[in-house]
Amino acid sequence: MPPKYSKMNFSIYSDDSFMRMAMLEAKMAYEQDEVPVGAVIVSKNVVIAKARNSVQQLNDPTAHAELLAISAAAEFLGSKYLNECTLYVTLEPCPMCAGALFWSQMGRVVFATKDEKRGCGLYSPTIYHPKTEVSEGLFADEASLLLKAFFKNKR
Amino acid sequence: MPPKYSKMNFSIYSDDSFMRMAMLEAKMAYEQDEVPVGAVIVSKNVVIAKARNSVQQLNDPTAHAELLAISAAAEFLGSKYLNECTLYVTLEPCPMCAGALFWSQMGRVVFATKDEKRGCGLYSPTIYHPKTEVSEGLFADEASLLLKAFFKNKR
């Protein structure tokens, strides 16, 4: 039987591989009893920031994975504009995070699963910067299952 | 000639007095070459957080006055919920800051001048938490003049 993936098609510099890193961050959040969301920011195929939701741990309602990753990436690059970067995040950004992505002029956003309660798509699609390219669905099932497991345990 | 304000009508625990503090923060931002916006968070008549826009200084696109004040207030109170608090801010919150106010469940928001370009009112009024009481217009002219002076100097 042939292997499912040929080596030729596999790249460590792929959306898949970066979203997998974001999923790892989400799993670490889960283990720390945080709503399991993880984010990774990539610039020219280099991961320059990783973060997970840390609202409980930092006791800070603004400590979402995306916001922490944006601050870290801006510090790393020495620039408040991240228009050459891609953000990978396991859950659709909320209005706060989409607003932060606007100010950073993030080049590209890839999110896994939709947030039916608080995703920014429910409010206004124009919260994102007009130049930001947004795509969704990568690892959506895995990200969604992790979130469901978290909220099931909470009940 | 009678004095313009009688002592009887003046209280240091008034919206006027707290917004004046926020204006002072905005003026300090102006002097540091930041977009001049200031914020103050009050809990039971006590100022528990003050912040000014620090995007340039911190090189962080998320370092708006409101976000910094929310983080500081949550740390001070040891609670991520600020439903007993009032935020005074000199400019209408953007979607990022309104989103942060949602997560903090801020009790009340008083802002000075509308933001015609990026105020959250342009997007969706429901970004705020449904329990947050919002009012506007206090010191609006003063806040607006300071912003206009800043952007005029930039041109």
Side-chain angles (χ1 to χ4, degrees), chain A residues 21-22 24-25 28 38-41 47-52 65 68-69 72-73:
Chain A
M21 280 190 210
L24 266 177
E25 288 292 317
M28 282 193 277
V40 159
I41 295 179
V47 174
I48 61 166
K50 289 195 293 186
R52 51 186 177 268
L68 298 173

Side-chain angles (χ1 to χ4, degrees), chain A residues 15 86-87 106-110 128-135:
Chain A
D15 283 353
T86 300
L87 171 92
M106 185 66 68
R108 195 169 157 239
V109 171
V110 183
Y128 290 119
H129 195 278
K131 286 187 184 163
T132 302
E133 186 195 312
V134 183
S135 57

Side-chain angles (χ1 to χ4, degrees), chain A residues 6 17-18 20 27-28 34 37 39 45 53 60 68 74 80 84 101 109 124 126 140-141 143 145 151:
Chain A
S6 107
S17 126
F18 294 128
R20 203 165 288 163
K27 282 169 192 165
M28 282 193 277
E34 300 274 1
V37 181
N45 280 335
N53 177 37
D60 185 342
L68 298 173
K80 61 177 179 149
E84 302 288 320
L101 289 164
V109 171
S124 164
T126 59
D141 291 345
L145 278 173
F151 287 112

Side-chain angles (χ1 to χ4, degrees), chain A residues 71-106:
Chain A
S71 295
E75 181 160 337
F76 178 82
L77 291 179
S79 161
K80 61 177 179 149
Y81 296 121
L82 306 175
N83 41 354
E84 302 288 320
C85 298
T86 300
L87 171 92
Y88 297 86
V89 58
T90 59
L91 181 64
E92 183 184 8
C94 71
M96 174 178 76
C97 293
L101 289 164
F102 171 89
W103 293 117
S104 77
Q105 300 187 5
M106 185 66 68

